[in-house]
Amino acid sequence: MKLALVSLAILFSSVSGESFSPKRIDYGMLAQDPLYMENTSLIINELSKEGLVSVTNIPGFAQVKKQVMKHLHACITDLGDDAVPSALLKDGTIRRTMAGAKGHSLSYFESHGTISHSCELFQAASDAFRNSVDEATDVFAQRLSFELGSSISSPLMSTQDGSHTYEDVKDLVDSAEVLEHFHSYQKISNASTEATIDLHLDQGFFIAFSPGLDVSVDPNASQPLKINHDFVIVASDGKESTLYTNESDDLVFMMGDGVNQYINNHLHQDSVAQNKVLRAVPHSVVLAPHDPSVARVWYGRMVLPPRDAYSAVTDKSYGDLRDILMSRDTSRVPAGLGCSSVTMRALNAGGNHNDSPCAEDELQCWAMCMPLAKFGIENEATCTDQDLRLQCVNPRDQFSTGFAHGDYFPACSNTTQEVTPVPQIPQQDEDTCASLWEEFRMDSSYDHHFDLSTDVNDGASFMWSIVDGKVKGRLAFNNVFGWLSVGLANKAVDAKKNGMNGANVLIATPGREYSAQTGLDTSSGPVVQEYLIHSSESSFRHWQTPIGEDPAASVVSTECFTALEFETDNINDIPFNITGTDELIWAGNGNDHFMGYHGKNRDRFTLNWMSGESYFGKLKVVEEEDDEMKKNNAAIIGGAVGGSVAALLLISLAVMKIRSSSNKNDVSEQAP
Ligand SMILES: *[C@@H]1O[C@H](CO)[C@@H](O)[C@H](O)[C@H]1NC(C)=O
Ligand SMILES: *[C@@H]1O[C@H](CO)[C@@H](O)[C@H](O)[C@H]1NC(C)=O
Ligand SMILES: *[C@@H]1O[C@H](CO)[C@@H](O)[C@H](O)[C@H]1NC(C)=O
Ligand SMILES: *[C@@H]1O[C@H](CO)[C@@H](O)[C@H](O)[C@H]1NC(C)=O
Ligand SMILES: *[C@@H]1O[C@H](CO)[C@@H](O)[C@H](O)[C@H]1NC(C)=O
Ligand SMILES: *[C@@H]1O[C@H](CO)[C@@H](O)[C@H](O)[C@H]1NC(C)=O
């Protein structure tokens, strides 16, 4: 059997004698609830080693795939060159592309009164086909999220104003921009010996693709679909190898350069996490010339960061970046990014979300379909009966298009005021404050200190002593006083937002009374109160009522800094684990008096009250540590995390640079 495979590889491969068969993962196993599975590492090892896996046995997939692929080329031909853009690739291959985006039906069949027989069959099967791939993508993302587990820090991304975060891979993929391409390639001329598409990395996070098949241009011809061995990857051994898959139902998941830009650099430094570094797969396409009666068809679904996610490296949102790339105005393309294909232009409608996909008893709001019933509204008539309109608004009665993230909800309102930012409080004067921070944050009267500053936050310190069985603590924040909080993380396994939802915390605020419309009333002066954060709703207005008496605590607030000082043995009657460890969270806002978002100023950390040992993240279970990990943990505890993250980022930028300078036509999402 092995011998047969090898000789096949030599016969068919046009690049080298090497062949590569991706690890095949059963869909049923991928979709199982991982908590009840023996196998906790189904895909991560392979994604780390090779960067791709093939998912098989997706229910019903083989059948619809066959139907879609069989009619794809014929339908494209029937639609004609005006409807379906084509590109002449450098080896003389003609590529025709139908493009689509998640949540939108393919637009090609809407304006055509009558559609051809092939298109009818293609369209019928393509809906089921796309749904299948969509489901498989969700299952894959959920599984990857689970297997990365606590090895990765969250959030992975946020919007530029920090008003929404994408916590983990699942969250990222749920809101991802998803672009789909149905390609048909024909290489009739043998004049060129060049590659059809040169070796490159995809720009996105990952791609799910159905490998190339040779089909007859006449779907009525009885000739069966034939797997096409023209897809070449660089395997982990460094060799260019032809990809071998199973024609009937393979769906390959392959990592793009996005893993270097926003996944790998969020992995912790310990050896367990570092074994999960995902590998982006360099790949190329080398089509062999063929007879005009044949076409090579291919489907790919690229998963890209959400449109409103912010890329610090380019100081733009990923959506803006893609718009710039699409417009092909290369003078505006930030350094280090490759070009993009014209076919993305077809996706503008999808990308801009002009049409709402929501049901009648829902409204597009806060970037999702919100059920109206939850807000006491039955349907649009509930509002029109009151002579009002149904709109997506914020607590200040300003309207949103419904596609932005933030504290928005459906309401009956005739407001015509667009969302504006809340008023900002006076900010730090950086020149004066910078030199004063070290002095402010350190207080030699405390026994222990954990430096909470990271590369991304403004700077913070937690200091504490144990006095008469109580914690005497001080959280210092390198920013002015919007609010400042510290408390016990919610350690429940289903706790959201890294243990913030459902947490018991102390919050220092500049005023006692709060209204979501007008913010904090600061006339009372600063107070510290105890709160239980809502288990799913993060906006303050959902849990704004403090619990119990005011704790023994106070606030120091200057034109530069804020500190929350307290002395207690519990928060909301939950005792500190004074003789052991506690997992804490902190957060601060130096922007407004509206209990606004903390942005990057927050973290989860663990400390041993007596010994002073402290580190970021959840409690580490000592039994599972090997020597390597202990060493790395020690390094983290020593605060040496930032450097290597920066190094990783630099390496990934360097890789992108080399690529874009060596190959100008490198098209990011043009994987075949
Ligand atoms: C676990 O995964 C390995 C490798 O993929 C496989 O051989 C084994 O059968 C799996 N075991 C279970 C119980 O699923
Ligand atoms: C191209 O095909 C023609 C006809 O099949 C053949 O004679 C010629 O040698 C081929 N050229 C190359 C470069 O393979
Ligand atoms: C294939 O067969 C169908 C029905 O048998 C017919 O309508 C269609 O025109 C044929 N297509 C081609 C390209 O001959
Ligand atoms: C492809 O998959 C089908 C269905 O699982 C199986 O019967 C067939 O043997 C596979 N072919 C190869 C070459 O692995
Ligand atoms: C609200 O707007 C709707 C539609 O524009 C209009 O018909 C209605 O009279 C307005 N209601 C009020 C109270 O102004
Ligand atoms: C208290 O700390 C010890 C030592 O880390 C730990 O084993 C124990 O689970 C903690 N107890 C609680 C209630 O958190």
Side-chain angles (χ1 to χ4, degrees), residues 179-255:
L179 305 181
E180 300 171 87
H181 291 127
F182 291 94
H183 289 307
S184 153
Y185 293 80
Q186 284 196 293
K187 182 172 179 177
I188 314 297
S189 149
N190 68 351
S192 165
T193 52
E194 283 191 81
T196 312
I197 299 171
D198 284 326
L199 217 49
H200 68 287
L201 296 177
D202 288 340
Q203 269 298 323
F205 177 4
F206 64 83
I207 186 168
F209 70 93
S210 157
L213 291 174
D214 282 343
V215 299
S216 167
V217 297
D218 174 8
N220 290 350
S222 59
Q223 179 190 339
L225 305 179
K226 223 172 82 232
I227 191 109
N228 182 316
H229 297 125
D230 54 13
F231 193 89
V232 178
I233 67 157
V234 178
S236 61
D237 60 8
K239 292 182 178 149
E240 292 191 25
S241 310
T242 306
L243 189 70
Y244 274 75
T245 51
N246 183 319
E247 60 269 37
S248 61
D249 77 337
D250 269 313
L251 183 65
V252 178
F253 287 85
M254 182 174 81
M255 300 296 115

Side-chain angles (χ1 to χ4, degrees), residues 387-389 414:
D387 200 24
L388 292 170
R389 282 179 292 146
N414 262 23

Side-chain angles (χ1 to χ4, degrees), residues 366-392:
W366 195 341
M368 61 184 118
C369 291
M370 280 196 173
L372 296 175
K374 200 178 153 193
F375 302 90
I377 302 170
E378 196 179 328
N379 53 35
E380 203 164 352
T382 313
C383 294
T384 47
D385 287 353
Q386 304 167 46
D387 200 24
L388 292 170
R389 282 179 292 146
L390 174 62
Q391 296 203 82
C392 173

